[in-house]
Amino acid sequence: MGAPASGDGLTHFDGDGNAVMVDVSAKAETARVAVARGSVVMAPATLALIAGRGMKKGDVLSVAQLAGIMGAKRTPELIPLCHPLALSSVGVELSLDPQACAVHIEATCKLVGRTGVEMEALTAVSVAALTVYDMCKAVDKAMRIENIRLIHKSGGKSGIYEAKE
Amino acid sequence: MGAPASGDGLTHFDGDGNAVMVDVSAKAETARVAVARGSVVMAPATLALIAGRGMKKGDVLSVAQLAGIMGAKRTPELIPLCHPLALSSVGVELSLDPQACAVHIEATCKLVGRTGVEMEALTAVSVAALTVYDMCKAVDKAMRIENIRLIHKSGGKSGIYEAKE
Amino acid sequence: MGAPASGDGLTHFDGDGNAVMVDVSAKAETARVAVARGSVVMAPATLALIAGRGMKKGDVLSVAQLAGIMGAKRTPELIPLCHPLALSSVGVELSLDPQACAVHIEATCKLVGRTGVEMEALTAVSVAALTVYDMCKAVDKAMRIENIRLIHKSGGKSGIYEAKE
Amino acid sequence: MGAPASGDGLTHFDGDGNAVMVDVSAKAETARVAVARGSVVMAPATLALIAGRGMKKGDVLSVAQLAGIMGAKRTPELIPLCHPLALSSVGVELSLDPQACAVHIEATCKLVGRTGVEMEALTAVSVAALTVYDMCKAVDKAMRIENIRLIHKSGGKSGIYEAKE
Amino acid sequence: MGAPASGDGLTHFDGDGNAVMVDVSAKAETARVAVARGSVVMAPATLALIAGRGMKKGDVLSVAQLAGIMGAKRTPELIPLCHPLALSSVGVELSLDPQACAVHIEATCKLVGRTGVEMEALTAVSVAALTVYDMCKAVDKAMRIENIRLIHKSGGKSGIYEAKE
Amino acid sequence: MGAPASGDGLTHFDGDGNAVMVDVSAKAETARVAVARGSVVMAPATLALIAGRGMKKGDVLSVAQLAGIMGAKRTPELIPLCHPLALSSVGVELSLDPQACAVHIEATCKLVGRTGVEMEALTAVSVAALTVYDMCKAVDKAMRIENIRLIHKSGGKSGIYEAKE
């Protein structure tokens, strides 16, 4: 690992073009937070079906929520250059938006460590969204997963990031 | 597992509200195909950076492509009620769209088996998209993952599905 | 792998004492079913707490049920000599027994394949039971997981097994 | 993640009924230990078979012991709301009890970290017990996994727990 | 996935240079076998230590053997373009060679399926070898893993392969 | 876990012959580095094929490199008595040696933690080597994985190790 980082800002390659898991040994352990959001857009009838179950046991949103939390823990296995890390908290919330015909998903991840947890939050949202799709695909194959993005990030040297929403 | 399926079309719940991995024992083994697509939308400068690397070793798209293929194989671990299955083929392609300032992703999964592979194709796209985000987030945190959807599905009793694009 | 099986009935060792994943290549693919049961015994107040949540979103039993289903899929990773296999169905049900101060768990697994699915059903029960413990341990550390056993098994050369309950 | 914890003592739900991986960011890193125990009860002839192999290579107990250690490491993948953590030690011991016709299992897990390791110790015992079942099921399907419980826990704010045995 | 295979014999790339998990849908399910071998070369004193334990419980070879079997099952997670598959048998044998100061490892994998199991056999040998290294590294860091190669392969269209040893 | 360590230097067994994940709770967190190397030896024509692709997208070495990095993260799942740990850096480099008809692989792993990362570096090399084999096996089944060994280790109480090359 002799070559210095590529000069173009893409930190996951060294100067020889080798993909690397970036060295964070020298970074301080700080409290880090990341929040991500995304949506599953669907037919009104599909949303009504989900809403109809929300009052009883076995609702779509609970299954997706749990899948999102568990998915966050799998991030370093899925994303090749992500560091394995010991998340100190994961929360995922889903809500129904009849106006937009969408299920909105928000995930918050926390860590006391040497690297950010944006990918964990974005993965939690993605897995929760895929699970909503899976649970409803028998009635609606045209659902779309939309607008997965980072909302907030704090901790670490690069400071606070807030999305302009 | 005495209770019949819930009557509302959501096949992943039985009549008592228990989530279930649907019984496919009685289904025939047929050749199944699914194609999914999605995009990562980004700043023009970010797209230019990816394009600039595309000619040399260590490009973002190759890493994301491989992550997508490997991600498809993890689908039954990520999506709670998905069946474990032995994919017979996975292909993922990424392309740059300077007009739309986007990386477009398409995944194709195949199986000779008792259940469809839509979730595998959608998961491949999602993981490839998350990997693009991860590789570029040092220069652009405002990227968005957009429009992940099923394009085509064939095989099995429900017949052929083609998205209206 | 020249040595014949150990003569004492323990099929997971060959005659040289090597642990083996038993060769099932020559077995026919048949429909196989296994049912397992177990219980988590707890203080009356703990059971009351679980019962109190059962009516609303976010109940202990739904989380444990999903964990059991997902756990069944991990069986070949956990049990060293289990075959990897493509389960065609997993169902897990939990019920409250105020008399016995227990949560009862039953798992049913199905496969069309060359080997039985007893371990998958037993693993589903175990993981669901551990999840009940995890969700309630803040209020009751003295819970016990009890009586995990095989109830029914059919398919394959060894015929039907029914536990004497 | 705005809603405060549910008021009923079940720490894995927030006030809105969302399951959460509890936030431990603010907890101190302390040395934590947990010990769990359980048993596999079987026919006398099955126990004799295990005992007969114990003197040679390829014994049931060694395989189950290793499975238990490896199982402890998979705890955060199996139990939905468990934190991923970097165990600093895992030990599993199995012993034969001809009187009780049982294999007894004890697991000890240690961590220097922000959360307890009870679930890791209980999972180690469960996976070792399931492995004993798997290794012997060809000769005895009526074995039962019994009395998996926490024996000891220390470290962290809640202090020392000792089971009344 | 329109582009035909690359013309140079490397089947894992299509004509556009995209890595692919090769499509095996059209292949017949046949009985496949693969045998691989490899060695861990070490100091005479290290070999003597392993030999000394071989007679009692807790020997290095048993742990490595089990790790090899379990490793074979993880092949599709480790090797990016390997197909997930349902191995019907895995056997791993280790033997001591005082002459060569080596532990020799042989793995045999079987499958009734659409693709070969060479990678599974080679992975089993590799993981067993790494485990031998891990167990002995406290006394000998200069051990070397040597000569991991395919010995035999049968089943499938390409016919029988026998290494010239 | 009462029995003291076995007296023969094999730290992974206690005095009763039980395999253990060694207790590192009392060790200090220090910066640790390990470097490992290995090679895949092949026919000249195979090496030429790899070299021919190295200039375009979709080369064998990039896929193997990524597999090596991802493989390092799976070490604690593969090697039974390895500690789970949060690697702070992984780098893998492959180079072609036409003289020796070999692909040489070098992996460097770093951690700030309580235990060494030799096994992670050796596993990265092994998985990268297996991936080279997988990508080229359609044209050359006689390739051999050779000379996987530890080159350098620093950090921790046992001091610096340098291989005599």
Side-chain angles (χ1 to χ4, degrees), chain B residues 100-151:
Chain B
C101 261
V103 174
H104 297 312
I105 306 167
E106 177 176 309
T108 304
C109 292
K110 297 189 187 176
L111 172 76
V112 182
R114 292 187 171 79
T115 181
V117 288
E118 303 96 290
M119 294 318 301
E120 280 70 17
L122 290 161
T123 300
V125 171
S126 297
V127 174
L130 288 165
T131 301
V132 169
Y133 189 99
D134 183 45
M135 308 284 291
C136 300
K137 69 181 192 292
V139 298
D140 185 359
K141 285 182 181 52
M143 287 173 286
R144 284 169 295 113
I145 300 174
E146 291 283 9
N147 203 11
I148 298 183
R149 76 279 189 198
L150 184 67
I151 292 296

Side-chain angles (χ1 to χ4, degrees), chain F residues 95-106:
Chain F
S95 56
L96 296 175
D97 180 344
Q99 216 90 32
C101 261
V103 173
H104 297 311
I105 305 166
E106 178 175 307

Side-chain angles (χ1 to χ4, degrees), chain D residues 96-116:
Chain D
L96 296 175
D97 179 344
Q99 216 89 33
C101 261
V103 174
H104 297 312
I105 305 166
E106 178 176 307
T108 304
C109 292
K110 298 188 186 177
L111 171 76
V112 182
R114 291 187 172 79
T115 181

Side-chain angles (χ1 to χ4, degrees), chain E residues 39-42 47 95-104:
Chain E
S39 303
V40 186
V41 181
M42 57 190 64
L47 197 81
S95 56
L96 296 175
D97 180 344
Q99 217 89 32
C101 261
V103 174
H104 297 312

Side-chain angles (χ1 to χ4, degrees), chain C residues 6 8-13 16-18 49 53 57-60 63 67 74 77-82 118-119 122-123 126-127 130-131 133-139 141-150 153 161, chain D residues 6 8-13 16-18 49 53 57-60 63 67 74 77-82 118-119 122-123 126-127 130-131 133-139 141-150 153 161:
Chain C
S6 74
D8 61 2
L10 294 185
T11 52
H12 282 103
F13 296 108
D16 292 337
N18 290 306
L49 257 180
R53 298 200 67 89
K57 210 179 82 161
D59 65 306
V60 170
V63 176
R74 314 303 294 267
E77 297 179 22
L78 294 172
I79 313 299
L81 303 173
C82 269
E118 303 96 290
M119 294 317 302
L122 290 161
T123 300
S126 296
V127 173
L130 288 165
T131 301
Y133 189 99
D134 183 46
M135 308 284 290
C136 300
K137 70 182 192 294
V139 297
K141 285 180 180 54
M143 286 173 287
R144 285 170 294 114
I145 299 174
E146 293 282 10
N147 204 11
I148 297 183
R149 78 276 189 201
L150 184 67
K153 172 192 186 319
Y161 169 83
Chain D
S6 75
D8 60 3
L10 294 185
T11 51
H12 283 101
F13 297 108
D16 291 337
N18 291 304
L49 258 179
R53 297 200 68 90
K57 209 179 84 163
D59 65 306
V60 170
V63 176
R74 314 303 295 268
E77 296 179 24
L78 295 171
I79 312 301
L81 303 173
C82 269
E118 304 95 291
M119 293 318 302
L122 289 161
T123 300
S126 296
V127 174
L130 288 165
T131 302
Y133 189 98
D134 182 46
M135 308 285 291
C136 299
K137 70 182 191 292
V139 298
K141 285 182 180 52
M143 287 173 288
R144 284 169 295 112
I145 300 174
E146 292 283 9
N147 205 10
I148 297 183
R149 76 276 189 203
L150 184 67
K153 172 192 186 320
Y161 170 82

Side-chain angles (χ1 to χ4, degrees), chain D residues 23-44:
Chain D
D23 188 353
V24 297
S25 313
K27 289 194 183 185
E29 288 209 319
T30 60
R32 289 154 190 278
V33 181
V35 182
R37 281 192 201 136
S39 303
V40 186
V41 180
M42 58 189 63

Side-chain angles (χ1 to χ4, degrees), chain C residues 44-117:
Chain C
T46 313
L47 197 80
L49 257 180
I50 298 177
R53 298 200 67 89
M55 301 305 112
K56 29 178 180 165
K57 210 179 82 161
D59 65 306
V60 170
L61 302 190
S62 297
V63 176
Q65 197 228 18
L66 213 60
I69 292 175
M70 297 180 82
K73 295 193 262 185
R74 314 303 294 267
T75 305
E77 297 179 22
L78 294 172
I79 313 299
L81 303 173
C82 269
H83 294 81
L85 43 78
L87 287 168
S88 57
S89 164
V90 183
V92 176
E93 291 189 14
L94 293 99
S95 56
L96 297 174
D97 180 343
Q99 217 89 34
C101 260
V103 173
H104 297 312
I105 306 167
E106 178 176 307
T108 303
C109 292
K110 298 188 186 177
L111 172 77
V112 182
R114 293 186 171 79
T115 182
V117 289

Side-chain angles (χ1 to χ4, degrees), chain A residues 6 8-14 16-19 49-50 53 57-60 63 67 71 74 77-82 118-119 122-123 126-127 130-131 133-139 141-150 153 158 161, chain B residues 6 8-14 16-19 49-50 53 57-60 63 67 71 74 77-82 118-119 122-123 126-127 130-131 133-139 141-150 153 158 161:
Chain A
S6 75
D8 61 2
L10 294 186
T11 51
H12 283 101
F13 296 109
D14 69 13
D16 292 337
N18 291 303
L49 258 179
I50 297 177
R53 297 201 68 90
K57 209 178 85 161
D59 65 307
V60 170
V63 176
R74 313 304 293 268
E77 297 179 23
L78 294 172
I79 312 300
L81 303 173
C82 269
E118 302 95 292
M119 293 317 300
L122 289 162
T123 300
S126 297
V127 174
L130 288 165
T131 301
Y133 189 98
D134 183 46
M135 307 284 291
C136 299
K137 70 181 192 294
V139 297
K141 285 181 180 52
M143 287 173 286
R144 285 170 295 113
I145 300 174
E146 293 283 10
N147 204 9
I148 298 183
R149 78 276 190 200
L150 184 66
K153 172 193 185 320
S158 71
Y161 170 83
Chain B
S6 74
D8 60 3
L10 295 185
T11 52
H12 283 102
F13 296 108
D14 71 12
D16 291 339
N18 290 305
L49 257 179
I50 297 178
R53 297 201 68 91
K57 210 179 82 162
D59 66 306
V60 170
V63 176
R74 313 304 294 268
E77 297 178 24
L78 294 172
I79 313 301
L81 303 173
C82 269
E118 303 96 290
M119 294 318 301
L122 290 161
T123 300
S126 297
V127 174
L130 288 165
T131 301
Y133 189 99
D134 183 45
M135 308 284 291
C136 300
K137 69 181 192 292
V139 298
K141 285 182 181 52
M143 287 173 286
R144 284 169 295 113
I145 300 174
E146 291 283 9
N147 203 11
I148 298 183
R149 76 279 189 198
L150 184 67
K153 171 191 187 318
S158 72
Y161 170 82

